[in-house]
Amino acid sequence: ARNLKQKEAYKNLVKEVRGFSTAGKIAEAEKLLPALYKALDKAAKTNVIKKNKASRLKSRLYHLIAKSTKTSS
C-alpha cells in the first residue's frame, strides 16, 4: 500500500509538470520541480522505482521545461 501511494504521488506530479509545461505555464511547472524531485528521490530510495529511472525522469522533465522556456521567450 505504501509503494502504491509513493508511485501515485510521483506519477501525479509528473503529469502536472508535463501539463503545465505544454500549456505554457512555466512558472507553475518550475514551482513543482522541488516537490517532484523529492517524490522521485524518495521512491528510488525505498525501491519503488530504480535510481536511474528517477534520474532519467528528473532530467527529461527539466529539459522539457527548459525547452518550453526557450520557445516562449
Side-chain angles (χ1 to χ4, degrees):
R2 262 182 284 164
N3 287 353
L4 246 170
K5 279 188 175 183
Q6 283 187 343
K7 197 169 190 175
E8 288 172 356
Y10 90 78
K11 281 190 167 190
N12 287 335
L13 283 168
V14 166
K15 286 178 197 170
E16 286 182 39
V17 169
R18 282 202 175 120
F20 282 141
S21 63
T22 54
K25 298 178 181 177
I26 308 304
E28 288 91 338
E30 287 176 344
K31 284 181 191 172
L32 281 179
L33 274 183
L36 173 67
Y37 285 0
K38 184 177 179 180
L40 285 170
D41 289 337
K42 195 161 194 168
K45 180 181 170 187
T46 55
N47 293 323
V48 174
I49 59 173
K50 294 189 176 177
K51 187 175 67 170
N52 284 348
K53 179 172 181 170
S55 295
R56 189 174 64 241
L57 282 171
K58 287 193 275 188
S59 175
R60 287 181 180 170
L61 289 168
Y62 174 79
H63 284 97
L64 179 72
I65 291 172
K67 185 179 177 183
S68 53
T69 304
K70 192 184 284 187
T71 58
S72 67
S73 60

